[in-house]
């Protein structure tokens, strides 16, 4: 069998657990017929993309001190979209000074009620411009328009609305204590949910009276600059939020700036560790939202069809570019064949392609670098003896794409079971008892999220209390709400975002 055929059997080693569990071939295939064929429905609303995006410092769009710009491309076409300003240490110094001035002069003194009004205005303007923002998010990042339109943008607005509501109620959030703002906060975010990560960080920081210097990821800076435009139009006082664009060097300069009071970072565990080392002993506060390797556990009494949709949503949603993705599937051995059969048949119906098409399920991988990383890890899975299934779907000729995939015959020591792939690749393992499921689920250096599928509420509570994961979904997956805290254990970081807990990293309690 050829290496790139839908089912590629590794020749070096035999799958370890495949022989012990029921065979998929014994379960009849599902026939989805032609119900899933749709005519192309590309999003046609025109959006204005600037040739160049400047830095947003002190309420103005300014050229970078170096005069340098880098290219942002559409990962679905590899075509250039815009040139983005490369900020250096001098720009960061200007941004931090603007944030400090705004903190001392305006925002730090403003009443919670007035801060709340500003945040409500921003939330409403995000709603008004959500179509434009969703299209830009999809063009710059590669995610399907139905996700940016129906998931990301509603949540972005919801976070601003939610924290706008807290701005004048901080005394009620922390009864018996008085909450004081921290000062100037540096925030660094990744490329998988660009606007959502910006909202998760900016909204609580501002609600608590801090000012912000935000650095978006280098491959997805465009929507952050449109958000800056909204801040300007909403009348947010100058310097309250400053947005500086650039790569890891820009992030390092922000972390190292002496007048920053706190760093909030979301990104890889590798970079998170570097930041933790750099800040040790500096007195600066730190929160880290890092990687994950979540277990999605399917018990034999689970509603299987719903669970299969939950597995699809858990790993193929947003091309698997999700820190809390259910990337390890743990299936009770007795239903293994049924689950795998349904999963395989359902995967064949997933539409991979033009992210701007409203029917697309799986869009483009965010960058060539990320595509290479996914491919390298998938190759390692094959090398180590796991068995790969890939949806046989056609892929577009240009752009960065990866077929929805899963591995069976995975053991806990395989890299695909241990490392974050951050792509549409699932590692399937089996278990025989709830205790074994818990042991396997917790057998990871991460602890961000997990899923449990079962008919029994008692099993959900018992298992959830034993899982070492910050977020646990029961009979659903990848559901977010601004009122609900999110964050990890172990190498998935510390601190919580969302909900009342999401206020804590942005206040000093006295
Ligand atoms: P990354 O760590 O490479 O980059 C994240 C951000 O940090 C980018 O803005 C980048 O420019 C910047 N950066 C890079 N090197 C830096 C340095 N030395 N100092 C300061 N800043 C630096 O991560 P990524 O590839 O953009 O994102 C994917 C990772 O993010 C995954 O591991 C994913 O799990 C994680 N993530 C976690 C959460 C969460 O809430 N836990 C949410 C989304 C993404």
């Amino acid at each position: 069998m050829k290496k790139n055929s839908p089912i590629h059997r590794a020749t070096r080693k035999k799958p370890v657990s495949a022989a012990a569990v029921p065979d998929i071939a014994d379960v009849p295939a599902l026939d989805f017929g032609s119900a899933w064929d749709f005519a192309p429905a590309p999003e046609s609303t025109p959006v204005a993309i600037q040739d160049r995006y400047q830095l947003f410092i002190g309420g103005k769009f300014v050229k970078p001190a170096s005069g340098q710009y880098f290219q942002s491309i559409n990962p679905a076409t590899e075509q250039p979209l815009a040139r983005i300003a490369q900020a250096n240490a001098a720009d960061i110094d200007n941004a931090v000074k603007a944030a400090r001035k705004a903190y001392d002069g305006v925002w730090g003194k403003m009443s919670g009620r007035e801060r709340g009004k500003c945040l409500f205005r921003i939330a409403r303007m995000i709603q008004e411009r959500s179509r434009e923002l969703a299209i830009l998010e999809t063009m710059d990042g590669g995610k399907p328009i139905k996700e940016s339109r129906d998931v990301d943008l509603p949540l972005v607005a919801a976070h601003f609305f939610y924290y706008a509501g807290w701005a004048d109620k901080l005394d009620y959030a922390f009864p018996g204590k008085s909450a004081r703002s921290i000062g100037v906060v540096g925030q660094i975010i990744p490329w998988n949910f660009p606007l959502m990560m910006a909202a998760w960080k900016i909204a609580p920081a501002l609600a608590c009276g801090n000012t912000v210097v935000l650095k978006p990821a280098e491959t997805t800076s465009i929507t952050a600059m449109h958000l800056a435009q909204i801040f300007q139009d909403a009348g947010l006082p100058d310097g309250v939020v400053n947005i500086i664009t650039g790569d890891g060097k820009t992030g390092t300069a922000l972390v190292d700036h002496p007048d920053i009071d706190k760093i909030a970072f979301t990104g890889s565990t590798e970079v998170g560790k570097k930041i933790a080392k750099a800040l040790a002993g500096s007195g600066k506060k730190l929160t880290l939202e890092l990687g994950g390797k979540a277990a999605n556990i399917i018990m034999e009494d689970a509603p299987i069809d719903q669970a299969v949709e939950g597995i699809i949503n858990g790993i193929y949603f947003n091309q698997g570019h999700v820190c809390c993705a259910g990337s390890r599937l743990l299936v009770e051995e007795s239903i293994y064949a049924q689950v795998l059969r349904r999963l395989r048949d359902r995967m064949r119906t997933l539409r991979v392609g033009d992210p701007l098409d409203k029917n697309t399920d799986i869009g483009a991988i965010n960058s060539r670098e990320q595509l290479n990383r996914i491919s390298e890890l998938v190759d390692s899975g094959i090398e180590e003896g796991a068995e790969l299934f890939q949806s046989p779907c056609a892929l577009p000729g240009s752009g960065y794409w990866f077929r929805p995939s899963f591995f069976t015959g995975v053991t806990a020591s395989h890299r695909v079971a241990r490392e974050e792939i951050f792509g549409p690749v699932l590692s399937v393992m089996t278990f025989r008892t709830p205790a074994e499921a818990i042991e396997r689920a917790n057998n990871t250096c991460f602890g961000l999220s997990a899923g449990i599928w079962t008919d029994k509420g008692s099993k959900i509570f018992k298992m959830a209390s034993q899982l070492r994961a910050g977020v646990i979904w029961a009979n659903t997956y990848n559901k977010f709400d601004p009122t609900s805290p999110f964050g990890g254990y172990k190498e998935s970081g510390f601190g919580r975002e969302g909900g009342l807990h999401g206020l804590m990293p942005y206040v000093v309690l006295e």
Side-chain angles (χ1 to χ4, degrees):
M1 200 170 282
K2 281 199 238 121
K3 187 173 177 178
N4 57 358
S5 67
I7 300 177
H8 171 77
R9 280 176 194 281
T11 45
R12 283 187 155 196
K13 292 178 196 163
K14 278 255 168 236
V16 175
S17 61
V21 294
D23 194 346
I24 306 177
D26 297 337
V27 183
L30 296 179
D31 180 11
F32 289 97
S34 59
W36 301 88
D37 295 338
F38 294 112
E43 171 64 63
S44 53
T45 310
V47 288
I49 301 183
Q50 297 170 26
D51 292 341
R52 281 179 179 220
Y53 286 88
Q54 312 293 0
L55 306 172
F56 184 62
I57 298 178
K60 296 182 185 59
F61 290 95
V62 297
K63 291 188 174 148
S66 66
Q68 285 177 0
Y69 294 80
F70 61 93
Q71 190 73 58
S72 194
I73 65 161
N74 181 337
T77 61
E78 298 176 65
Q79 293 301 308
L81 282 176
R83 297 189 66 73
I84 313 288
Q86 170 73 44
N88 64 15
D91 299 304
I92 285 160
D93 192 45
N94 288 338
V96 174
K97 281 188 178 131
R100 179 63 63 191
K101 191 172 161 207
Y103 180 72
D104 291 340
V106 193
W107 199 253
K109 298 176 183 163
M110 196 183 265
S111 70
R113 190 156 176 262
E114 290 305 309
R115 290 199 307 271
K117 280 201 239 168
C118 273
L119 290 172
F120 275 124
R121 265 200 306 278
I122 291 165
R124 281 196 299 271
M125 291 177 83
I126 289 169
Q127 282 186 321
E128 282 162 22
R129 297 193 198 169
S130 66
R131 190 71 176 233
E132 163 204 340
L133 292 169
I135 294 169
L136 290 168
E137 197 80 310
T138 283
M139 290 176 79
D140 203 21
K143 64 174 63 190
I145 187 72
K146 71 175 176 192
E147 271 167 25
S148 43
R149 184 195 59 199
D150 300 343
V151 180
D152 294 39
L153 263 299
L155 281 169
V156 172
H159 268 81
F160 276 99
F161 276 120
Y162 177 73
Y163 282 109
W166 273 121
D168 62 351
K169 301 176 195 69
L170 296 179
D171 289 344
Y172 300 97
F174 307 107
K177 302 225 159 128
S178 144
R180 173 169 70 72
S181 55
I182 294 172
V184 176
V185 179
Q187 303 182 324
I188 301 173
I189 55 173
W191 44 260
N192 58 341
F193 291 94
L195 273 176
M196 213 161 102
M197 290 297 108
W200 281 25
K201 296 240 172 318
I202 294 173
L206 298 196
C208 295
N210 305 283
T211 57
V212 164
V213 179
L214 176 92
K215 193 199 91 63
E218 48 273 46
T219 55
T220 53
S221 306
I222 291 180
T223 47
M225 302 322 294
H226 284 250
L227 187 61
Q229 186 71 61
I230 288 178
F231 294 149
Q232 215 180 34
D233 296 348
L236 187 70
D238 293 351
V240 172
V241 176
N242 306 273
I243 302 184
I244 45 146
T245 45
D247 55 10
K249 290 196 291 298
T250 312
T252 309
L254 180 59
V255 169
D256 291 343
H257 195 286
D259 200 28
I260 289 279
D261 297 304
K262 175 199 159 72
I263 289 287
F265 173 79
T266 298
S268 60
T269 296
E270 185 193 346
V271 173
K273 284 181 181 175
K274 282 189 198 161
I275 293 176
K277 277 189 195 146
L279 292 191
S282 71
K284 292 176 190 168
K285 286 174 168 286
L286 174 65
T287 40
L288 296 175
E289 297 284 352
L290 309 175
K293 193 75 190 173
N296 203 359
I297 304 170
I298 321 291
M299 309 298 295
E300 68 175 358
D301 58 1
I304 291 184
D305 288 334
Q306 286 96 318
V308 168
E309 285 309 304
I311 297 164
I312 298 270
N313 186 33
I315 183 66
Y316 303 123
F317 166 70
N318 199 21
Q319 298 72 251
H321 294 339
V322 186
C323 50
C324 48
S327 54
R328 287 181 300 149
L329 176 64
L330 303 185
V331 188
E332 193 154 351
E333 206 172 275
S334 52
I335 54 161
Y336 171 83
Q338 277 165 280
V339 171
L340 265 276
R341 176 88 245 180
R342 280 175 163 79
L343 179 62
R344 215 166 70 168
D345 294 340
R346 177 68 177 93
M347 276 169 71
R348 289 179 200 275
T349 70
L350 294 175
R351 285 173 294 267
V352 182
D354 182 5
L356 281 174
D357 190 309
K358 292 161 199 153
N359 295 321
T360 292
D361 297 304
I362 298 183
I365 300 301
N366 181 261
S367 64
R368 180 170 293 287
E369 197 188 355
Q370 186 58 24
L371 180 59
N372 291 344
R373 179 170 160 72
I374 296 169
S375 305
E376 190 267 321
L377 271 162
V378 166
D379 287 348
S380 83
I382 296 165
E383 280 287 303
E384 289 184 325
E387 185 177 329
L388 178 67
F389 170 79
Q390 296 195 299
S391 165
C393 58
L395 299 181
S398 60
Y400 312 134
W401 309 95
F402 203 86
R403 291 193 166 84
S405 312
F406 67 72
F407 276 111
T408 51
V410 177
T411 68
S413 65
H414 287 164
R415 284 183 67 201
V416 292
R418 290 186 289 116
E419 295 181 32
E420 187 181 41
I421 302 177
F422 223 56
V425 183
L426 182 64
S427 297
V428 186
M429 289 171 272
T430 59
F431 64 89
R432 288 184 180 165
T433 62
E436 189 188 353
I438 297 289
E439 197 183 314
R440 283 184 172 242
N442 288 340
N443 184 13
T444 167
C445 61
F446 297 109
L448 191 55
S449 57
I452 307 171
W453 296 80
T454 168
D455 201 23
K456 305 263 179 313
S458 53
K459 248 187 221 173
I460 291 170
F461 286 118
K462 185 158 186 215
M463 292 180 76
S465 67
Q466 294 170 341
L467 285 167
R468 294 286 294 158
V471 181
I472 299 171
W473 286 288
N475 292 331
T476 187
Y477 207 91
N478 270 340
K479 290 282 178 276
F480 302 94
D481 189 282
T483 63
S484 175
F486 185 92
Y489 286 96
K490 301 192 270 185
E491 292 191 20
S492 292
F494 51 82
R496 294 290 179 262
E497 291 187 319
L500 192 153
H501 298 72
L503 296 167
M504 288 178 187
Y506 292 104
V507 290
V508 177
L509 296 178
E510 290 168 338

